[in-house]
């Protein structure tokens, strides 16, 4: 029988001097001065330029490419097609776990969606590569594409999202609906959306024998490294990825994409460093998107307005060859108490690129339908929407019956409503006008997103010069991770921010997991926290076991770490600096590793979610139907806030995306060709400043002792949930017209 290691008490680390401070971004000056080097800013010696040729049809095969014409163009170095693409060690269509995205790497002449890569042209200049790609002038055998939600046979997907069951039932929905005093049966539609971060997917790849060096934006360095290792048949240790800055990701950079891998293939083939950058229109297809949904919600209440049944069914679509299904119905698991709930999904396979997680996958789409339906149900019951929500407040997670690890949603409702001025809202529609005669409407929505956590590692070092270092391969997509995580690191090492080095963003550092699922701060933060605790424990061992230390005999658990010093707990006059401890021990530095992972027993016991309440005002031109969002106020509870400035920015960004979801954003598919006809940022509308005059985010204090030791729940995605529903509800309140097809456009208001 083996003995378990002794569990000695750990030193106490005095937190709080860095965590909670509204620091500005540590990389802010680099970014605003243009000194930050993004992937495509790298120009290694001997660089060649690769440009993709993409399919202009959605289904069929490439019958001919004029490779000769492309190759004869001055400056063209190589043309890569399925005919000459070097063999890969792994089938790009193989999928061994749900955290994989099948890739189009020129494995055949089949075309399975519009904008699929069909060739790569490599040249001395970008211009020559672009012209070479145009000269390929593909000829196709065209088949009729299937692109609409009703175009194919539907089926129940084996799972939705990244592995949730596609159907979950509790109670007898049919019976409760039949017996309900008030009933609702409505269908909402949400459009396809494309992530479109400012920085398109880009890669600079260089091979040196079997060593691969890459500059590319990534939300998951170790996963990208593993995927490339598999495809090229080399050890992950041979692959070095640098991803210091990302111009946004929103989920689209969670998996390394086909175009990025094609850049690596091109570099191997031409034996030179190669740069490949997607043009904006090339972002619409091969790098993921949010699939459209059609969601049917049925609800019933008793005579007092208490929900007795919620049924939420989503039809969505995936590609013909891969399996991401938008888990929109899952939004109904969390928010409203009801004795009977059913959530289900069905799907059709269509000729598009594979959908992917896109900011708040499931909750963003699902909360639009759910929050609109709740508003409709409140109206059917003759109740104010906030009163109705409070009457149906879930004190335990409705679908699982688990208590919440924490839930300050009631406070969010109160604080948000106060700030917005909700109390003066007339119950009936069309009651408010501004001085210019515009119809004014107020609506609200509830925001929710799970508090997730993944696995991560970090390495902490304390040095004899009194400085500390934290190393973790974390990802800053612009959200401020390197600022917030450095704050956690400084507290974990009991040092000031100025006294620590924070190394991050490369694949040789400890794996920080994925910057996704709103879980990066919790996941990477807990690894950092644990690494700091481990190195301070090791340092305390050095001091307390040394007869020459003033802390001798205090015991590891008998010391407190604060400001670069250890103090005896019961007598602070006994103390010694980190530097002195290391110096006397003859050590230049001391290091330790820390890990993080979700606690399975806490997850078994508690439901863990962030929450929020969003209130919106719109003004609608009664003649033209033009809609303006004039005010949005969101109040959010997301556990401990590491950096209020970064958090506010995340929440505002999410809420503005909610405005976009409600009123602007959609990809238009040409049903005959299967092509997206607005594959550019001129016609794929997103809100500009004038579209969002006032948006305000409040955070509500929430202490959660179950999610993780730091109490972090995550804020990356919750802001987009709730807002679009709030705006739709405000449009209804202004006009009396209920639009159930998103985005809400003016024609839908004036045709009645
Ligand atoms: Mo987010 S869609 O998990 O990057």
């Amino acid at each position: 029988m083996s003995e378990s290691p002794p569990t000695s008490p750990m030193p106490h680390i005095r937190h709080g001097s860095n965590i909670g401070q509204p620091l500005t971004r540590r990389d802010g000056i680099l970014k605003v001065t243009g000194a930050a080097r993004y992937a495509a800013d790298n120009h290694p010696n001997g660089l060649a330029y690769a440009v993709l040729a993409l399919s202009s049809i959605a289904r069929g095969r490439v019958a001919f490419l004029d490779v000769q014409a492309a190759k004869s163009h001055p400056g063209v170095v190589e043309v890569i097609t399925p005919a000459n693409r070097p063999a890969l060690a792994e089938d790009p269509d193989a999928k061994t776990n749900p955290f994989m995205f099948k890739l189009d790497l020129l494995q055949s002449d089949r075309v399975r969606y519009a904008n699929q890569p069909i060739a790569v042209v490599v040249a001395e200049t970008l211009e020559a590569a672009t012209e070479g790609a145009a000269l390929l002038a593909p000829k196709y055998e065209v088949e009729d594409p299937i692109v609409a939600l009703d175009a194919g046979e539907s089926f129940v997907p084996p799972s939705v999202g990244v592995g949730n069951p596609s159907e979950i039932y509790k109670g007898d929905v049919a019976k409760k609906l039949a017996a309900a005093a008030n009933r609702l049966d409505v269908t909402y539609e949400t459009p396809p959306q494309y992530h479109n971060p400012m920085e398109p997917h880009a890669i600079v790849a260089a091979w040196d024998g079997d060593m691969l060096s890459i500059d590319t934006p990534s939300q998951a360095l170790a996963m990208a490294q593993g995927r490339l290792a598999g495809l090229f048949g080399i050890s992950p240790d041979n692959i070095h990825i640098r991803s210091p800055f990302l111009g946004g990701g929103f989920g689209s950079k969670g998996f390394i994409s086909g175009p990025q891998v094609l850049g690596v293939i091109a570099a191997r083939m031409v034996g030179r460093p190669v740069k490949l950058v997607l043009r904006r229109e090339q972002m619409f297809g091969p790098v993921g998107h949010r699939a459209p949904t059609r969601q049917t919600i049925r609800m019933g209440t008793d005579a007092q307005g208490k929900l007795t049944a919620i049924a939420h069914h989503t039809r969505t679509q995936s590609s013909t060859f891969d399996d991401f299904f938008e888990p929109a119905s899952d939004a109904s698991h969390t928010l409203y108490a009801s004795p009977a709930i059913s959530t289900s999904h069905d799907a059709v396979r269509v000729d598009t690129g594979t959908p992917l997680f896109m900011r708040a996958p499931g909750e963003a789409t699902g909360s639009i339908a759910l929050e609109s339906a709740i508003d409709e149900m409140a109206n059917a019951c003759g109740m104010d929407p906030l009163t109705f929500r409070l009457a149906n407040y879930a004190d335990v997670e409705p679908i699982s019956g688990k208590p919440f690890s924490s839930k300050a949603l009631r406070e969010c409702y109160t604080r948000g409503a106060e700030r917005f001025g909700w109390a003066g809202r007339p119950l009936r529609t069309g009651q408010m006008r501004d001085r210019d005669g515009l119809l004014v409407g107020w609506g609200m929505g509830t925001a929710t997103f799970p508090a997730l956590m993944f696995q991560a590692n970090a390495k902490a070092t304390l040095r004899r010069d009194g400085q500390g270092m934290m190393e973790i391969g974390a990802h800053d997509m612009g959200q401020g991770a390197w600022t917030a995580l450095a704050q956690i690191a400084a507290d974990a090492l009991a040092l000031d921010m100025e006294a620590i080095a924070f190394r991050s963003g490369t694949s040789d550092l400890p794996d920080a997991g994925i910057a996704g699922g709103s879980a990066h701060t919790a996941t990477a933060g807990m690894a950092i926290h644990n690494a700091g605790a481990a190195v301070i424990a090791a340092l305390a061992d050095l001091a307390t076991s040394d007869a020459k230390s003033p802390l001798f005999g205090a015991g590891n658990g008998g010391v407190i770490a604060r400001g670069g010093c250890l103090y005896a707990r019961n007598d602070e006059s006994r103390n010694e600096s980190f530097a002195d401890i290391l110096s006397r021990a003859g050590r230049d530095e001391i290091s330790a590793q820390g890990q993080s992972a979700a606690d399975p027993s806490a997850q078994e016991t508690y439901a863990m979610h962030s929450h929020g309440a969003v209130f919106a005002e719109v003004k609608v031109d009664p003649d033209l139907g033009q809609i303006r969002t004039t005010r949005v106020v969101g109040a959010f509870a997301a556990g401990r806030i590491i950096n209020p400035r970064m958090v506010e920015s995340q929440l505002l960004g999410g809420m503005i995306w909610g405005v976009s979801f409600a009123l602007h954003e959609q990809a238009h598919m040409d049903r005959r060709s299967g092509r997206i006809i607005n594959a550019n940022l001129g016609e794929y509308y997103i809100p500009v400043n004038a579209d969002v005059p006032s948006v305000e985010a409040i955070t509500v204090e929430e202490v959660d002792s179950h999610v993780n030791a730091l109490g972090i729940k995550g804020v990356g995605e919750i802001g987009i949930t709730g807002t679009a529903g709030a705006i739709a509800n405000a449009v209804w309140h202004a006009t009396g017209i209920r639009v159930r097809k998103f985005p809400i456009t003016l024609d839908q208001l004036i045709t009645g």
Side-chain angles (χ1 to χ4, degrees):
M1 193 179 124
S2 70
E3 278 185 351
S4 46
T7 53
S8 63
M10 297 285 274
H12 180 77
I13 302 173
R14 190 67 59 78
H15 287 276
S17 47
N18 300 290
I19 286 176
Q21 298 299 317
L23 304 184
T24 55
R25 281 179 172 73
R26 295 166 70 246
D27 49 358
I29 290 178
L30 289 177
K31 285 181 173 171
V32 297
T33 58
R37 189 185 283 252
Y38 289 78
D41 295 332
N42 290 287
H43 296 86
N45 286 336
L47 182 68
Y49 296 81
V51 166
L52 293 180
L54 301 184
S55 148
S56 61
I57 67 163
R59 183 187 182 93
R61 60 176 283 271
V62 180
F64 176 75
L65 289 167
D66 198 344
V67 173
Q68 215 40 55
K71 273 199 150 167
S72 334
H73 186 73
V76 169
V77 174
E78 184 61 272
V79 176
I80 312 168
T81 72
N84 67 340
R85 189 267 273 157
L88 293 165
E90 198 173 81
D91 177 1
D93 277 316
K95 185 158 168 150
T96 52
N97 68 65
F99 271 102
M100 250 186 178
F101 194 54
K102 292 186 184 177
L103 301 172
D104 288 281
L105 301 178
L106 308 176
Q107 56 263 47
S108 84
D109 59 10
R110 272 310 295 177
V111 173
R112 39 197 195 182
Y113 57 93
N115 267 356
Q116 175 189 315
I118 55 172
V120 184
V121 177
V122 188
E124 297 295 343
T125 63
L126 176 63
E127 291 76 9
T130 305
E131 182 60 17
L135 289 169
L136 287 170
K139 291 191 175 36
Y140 300 98
E141 283 170 17
V142 186
E143 296 167 29
D144 287 337
I146 295 171
V147 292
L149 264 176
D150 294 315
E153 193 80 353
S154 81
F155 64 99
V156 176
S159 66
V160 293
V162 282
N164 306 344
S166 58
E167 299 185 341
I168 296 185
Y169 301 104
K170 174 197 152 185
D172 191 337
V173 165
K175 205 168 127 195
K176 294 285 186 192
L177 278 174
N182 301 292
R183 265 185 297 271
L184 185 76
D185 185 345
V186 282
T187 298
Y188 305 90
E189 286 186 50
T190 65
Q193 297 181 340
Y194 284 74
H195 306 73
N196 277 302
M198 284 289 281
E199 178 202 30
H201 293 59
I203 191 163
V204 174
W207 287 90
D208 180 2
D210 259 357
M211 304 294 288
L212 173 60
S213 151
I214 290 176
D215 297 282
T216 201
S218 171
Q219 292 176 235
L221 283 161
M223 235 163 51
Q225 197 183 31
R227 185 74 160 117
L228 289 166
L231 287 166
F232 292 95
I234 57 177
S235 158
D237 296 336
N238 284 14
I239 302 172
H240 184 61
I241 310 177
R242 290 173 293 268
S243 190
F245 303 105
L246 287 83
F250 311 126
S252 73
K253 293 167 182 168
F255 296 144
I256 195 156
S257 66
Q260 286 163 295
V261 179
L262 286 169
V264 180
I265 291 173
R268 171 148 260 191
M269 222 170 145
V270 301
R272 292 166 61 173
V274 162
K275 179 190 296 197
L276 190 152
V277 183
L278 289 191
R279 290 196 302 267
R280 182 56 62 184
E281 75 271 20
Q282 297 181 328
M283 296 285 290
F284 289 77
V287 293
H289 67 284
R290 195 196 299 280
T293 69
R294 180 184 301 141
Q295 303 176 54
T296 301
I297 295 194
R298 290 173 299 147
M299 279 179 185
T301 69
D302 64 17
Q304 285 72 46
K306 281 249 185 215
L307 284 164
T308 52
I310 304 172
H312 190 159
H313 179 75
T314 298
R315 162 151 315 169
T316 185
Q317 62 186 29
S318 197
S319 67
T320 54
F321 55 94
D322 208 345
D323 295 313
F324 186 87
F325 300 95
E326 178 82 8
S329 297
D330 292 2
S332 289
H333 293 168
T334 318
L335 279 179
Y336 300 104
S338 172
I341 299 176
S342 84
T343 61
S344 56
H345 299 80
D346 75 351
V348 291
R349 293 204 175 275
V350 298
D351 297 311
T352 66
T354 304
L356 186 57
F357 32 76
M358 178 162 166
R359 205 175 196 182
E363 280 74 9
T365 42
S367 73
I368 287 184
L370 178 62
E371 291 306 302
S372 296
I374 285 287
D375 200 68
E376 296 202 52
M377 196 75 250
N379 181 52
C381 296
M383 289 167 74
D384 170 81
L386 177 53
T387 312
F388 183 77
R389 282 176 175 83
L390 289 169
N392 291 288
Y393 194 86
D395 290 306
V396 296
E397 187 181 48
I399 198 82
S400 67
K402 293 179 190 177
F404 290 100
S405 60
S406 64
K407 181 178 178 180
L409 176 56
R410 234 184 266 280
E411 292 75 7
C412 295
Y413 284 139
T414 309
R415 292 276 308 282
E418 265 168 27
R419 181 79 200 166
F420 182 84
W422 182 260
R425 179 184 179 275
L427 200 54
R428 287 174 46 228
T429 61
Q431 301 299 300
M432 300 193 292
R433 292 219 181 207
D434 77 353
R435 280 189 317 214
D436 301 322
L438 298 177
L439 292 162
V440 178
W442 292 353
M444 67 170 295
T446 307
T448 185
F449 198 75
L452 304 172
M453 222 176 120
F454 307 116
Q455 291 181 5
N457 301 287
K459 183 182 174 194
T461 302
L462 291 169
R463 294 203 315 250
R464 199 209 282 236
D465 62 5
Q467 304 274 305
M469 178 160 68
M470 191 64 72
E471 294 173 288
I472 182 163
H475 316 87
D476 197 328
M477 315 183 244
Q479 82 276 40
W482 290 11
T483 308
L485 294 177
Q487 288 174 255
I488 297 173
D491 269 17
L493 292 170
L495 290 169
D496 292 338
M497 287 286 278
E498 295 70 37
I500 69 152
F502 181 77
R503 292 189 57 212
S504 199
T506 56
S507 63
D508 55 330
L509 296 169
D511 175 10
I514 185 171
S518 299
H520 199 40
T521 314
T523 303
M526 277 307 300
I528 287 168
H529 176 78
N530 291 335
V535 77
I536 285 180
L539 189 76
D541 281 341
L542 277 184
T544 57
S545 61
D546 183 343
K548 296 202 193 77
S549 168
L551 297 168
F552 178 64
N556 194 324
V559 298
I560 292 173
R562 185 176 79 232
C565 273
L566 293 185
Y567 297 84
R569 246 181 218 261
N570 51 11
D571 176 8
E572 295 216 351
S573 70
R574 289 170 64 196
N575 62 66
E576 193 167 34
S577 73
F578 297 175
D580 288 347
I581 297 167
L582 288 170
S583 177
R584 202 187 41 255
R587 300 278 295 267
D588 287 333
E589 59 179 46
I590 185 167
S591 290
Q593 304 270 344
Q595 283 81 41
S596 69
D599 171 0
S601 86
Q603 288 198 313
E604 194 51 47
T605 314
Y606 298 102
M608 301 174 177
H609 302 276
S610 296
H611 295 96
V614 183
F615 298 82
E617 177 184 86
V618 300
K619 294 187 177 179
V620 180
D621 186 307
D623 302 316
L624 303 177
Q626 189 185 49
I627 308 160
R628 291 278 182 210
T629 308
T630 44
R631 282 195 298 138
V632 184
V633 173
F636 298 91
R640 186 196 295 257
I641 300 304
I642 302 300
N643 180 322
R645 185 190 303 266
M646 303 296 116
V647 165
E648 182 187 24
S649 150
Q650 282 300 291
L651 296 172
L652 295 180
M655 290 160 77
I656 292 166
W657 203 339
V659 173
S660 187
F661 218 133
L663 300 178
H664 303 279
E665 190 170 345
Q666 66 178 319
H668 292 284
M669 188 75 92
D670 175 2
R671 294 201 174 191
R672 290 158 306 170
S673 68
R675 294 172 64 176
I676 293 164
I677 55 184
N678 60 337
N680 59 72
L681 288 186
E683 293 156 298
Y684 182 89
Y685 300 131
I686 54 171
V688 297
N689 278 340
D691 293 312
V692 197
S694 166
V695 53
E696 202 178 338
I698 301 166
T699 47
V700 169
E701 186 174 330
E702 188 177 68
V703 176
D704 193 316
S705 52
H706 304 294
V707 277
N708 49 64
L710 290 167
I712 300 169
K713 284 177 155 183
V715 296
E717 297 172 269
I718 187 167
I720 191 176
T721 74
T723 305
I727 289 170
N729 297 339
V731 169
W732 170 79
H733 188 238
T735 63
I737 300 172
R738 176 61 66 176
V739 178
R740 301 193 185 93
K741 188 172 185 299
F742 291 83
I744 301 171
T745 48
L746 54 83
D747 55 298
Q748 292 171 287
L749 295 181
I750 56 178
T751 48

